[in-house]
Structure formats: C-alpha cells, structure tokens
Amino acid sequence: MFYRRHLPHWQRAESALFITWRLFGSLPRKAFPSHFKDLDPGRQFLLLDRDLDKALYGPTWLKDPRVAEQLVTSLHRGAEQLQLFRLVAYVVMSNHAHILIWPQALLPRITKGFKGFTARQSNRILNRTGERFWQDESFDHAVRNESEFYRIKSYIERNPVKAGLVASPEDWPWSSAAG
C-alpha cells in the first residue's frame, strides 16, 4: 500500500514498520538545514531525530510521567486488545516516540487511531483539551531485512542513552528495554 500526504508512506506485506511520531511544534522550520530537501530520506530522519533528542524547540509534554505512561499503555492496548499490530520495540522521549511493529492493520488506521486517542488523553491530563498535540505527519519506514530490523530495534531502545538521559537502555522507564 502507498499513500502520500506531505511524505510518502509505504506499507509492504510481510514487513515490519518503524514509525516515529513527534509533538506538534517540536521542530520549527528554522531547525531544517537549507539543503534538507536535497538529502535522502534516511539522512533527513537522522538530522531531525538528532534535533528531537536535544529537545531545543517546542513542547516536551511527553516528559510528564502521566503522559508517557498513557502512551505506553495505549501501545500495549493497540497490540494486545485491538490487535492492530504486534509491538516489538518502543521508546517515549520528551517530544517524540519511536515504535517498531508488525502491522496487522493498515498504517493509516494504526496511526490515526493511536494519535487521535493519545492526543485526547494527553490533552486531558495536561488540561489542554482541544489543542493540537501531535504533528500531522509521521515518519515511517518499511523494514527491508533481518539485520535492519535488529539495528532499528537497538536504535529505538538506545535512544535515551544516545540522548544522554540514562546510562543503560533498561534504565529508561518508557521503553521496551525496561521490560
């Protein structure tokens, strides 16, 4: 399946998906280098993710333990109760979240359902009812092979270490590495 909003989105049969969601306003246009559009999508993602990890811009609502916990609970609900995907790895950072899943539904249904539900729940927790929470567009990548799958899983779980938040992936409470 293919569809395009601002970014192209591919969902290949029998392929895991790596998805990143970020908070609305977490990266202003000035954060994008002038040659950004000339870079390949992988390089674009790495540059954006590096800036997201620094959390220099915009909201950091996911720092709130109540918000982070409800995101983790919603991921498990999407996997276990709704059976939209099999959850392999996840991390909730201060302004973005990464997941690695085996989809059991179409990507638009997964993304719309998760982002809509968690936005309402998070805004309720933060007393921001009716406000924009997530950036409209998400980054997703169809995993091509087994080695890429394990590299992405490690990337996700090591994200808090790379950002300098903890010494070990297991120390970050809002991650699949925490157990």
Side-chain angles (χ1 to χ4, degrees), residues 48-107:
L48 293 178
D49 197 50
R50 189 176 303 137
D51 275 356
L52 285 171
D53 285 344
K54 293 176 189 172
L56 299 174
Y57 311 103
T60 55
W61 300 312
L62 305 181
K63 276 185 183 178
D64 186 315
R66 300 168 302 162
V67 174
E69 187 59 39
Q70 77 85 22
L71 258 65
V72 170
T73 299
S74 295
L75 285 171
H76 286 287
R77 180 177 171 264
E80 296 158 14
Q81 293 172 355
L82 303 176
Q83 297 186 350
L84 297 173
F85 49 82
R86 286 183 310 168
L87 185 60
V88 176
Y90 65 87
V91 67
V92 177
M93 301 292 285
S94 65
N95 59 7
H96 68 287
H98 298 298
I99 66 171
L100 179 61
I101 61 170
W102 288 100
Q104 296 174 286
L106 293 177
L107 180 58

Side-chain angles (χ1 to χ4, degrees), residues 12 34 38 40 48 70 74 128 131 161 164 167 173:
R12 297 179 352 190
S34 58
D38 300 330
D40 69 83
L48 293 178
Q70 77 85 22
S74 295
R128 305 179 63 251
E131 300 290 325
V161 175

Side-chain angles (χ1 to χ4, degrees), residues 1-38:
M1 184 198 90
F2 174 81
Y3 71 98
R4 177 183 287 278
R5 293 187 59 197
H6 300 291
L7 298 172
H9 300 278
W10 291 93
Q11 184 174 352
R12 297 179 352 190
E14 306 300 320
S15 180
L17 282 174
F18 170 48
I19 304 171
T20 299
W21 295 299
R22 66 182 175 98
L23 294 177
F24 177 74
S26 57
L27 284 177
R29 280 274 154 221
K30 69 180 180 179
F32 296 79
S34 58
H35 65 286
F36 184 79
K37 290 184 179 183
D38 300 330

Side-chain angles (χ1 to χ4, degrees), residues 142-161:
V143 179
R144 293 180 181 93
N145 57 49
E146 186 177 0
S147 66
E148 184 179 51
F149 178 88
Y150 287 108
R151 185 175 46 79
I152 290 170
K153 182 179 185 300
S154 175
Y155 177 86
I156 290 170
E157 293 180 342
R158 293 196 52 74
N159 201 227
V161 175

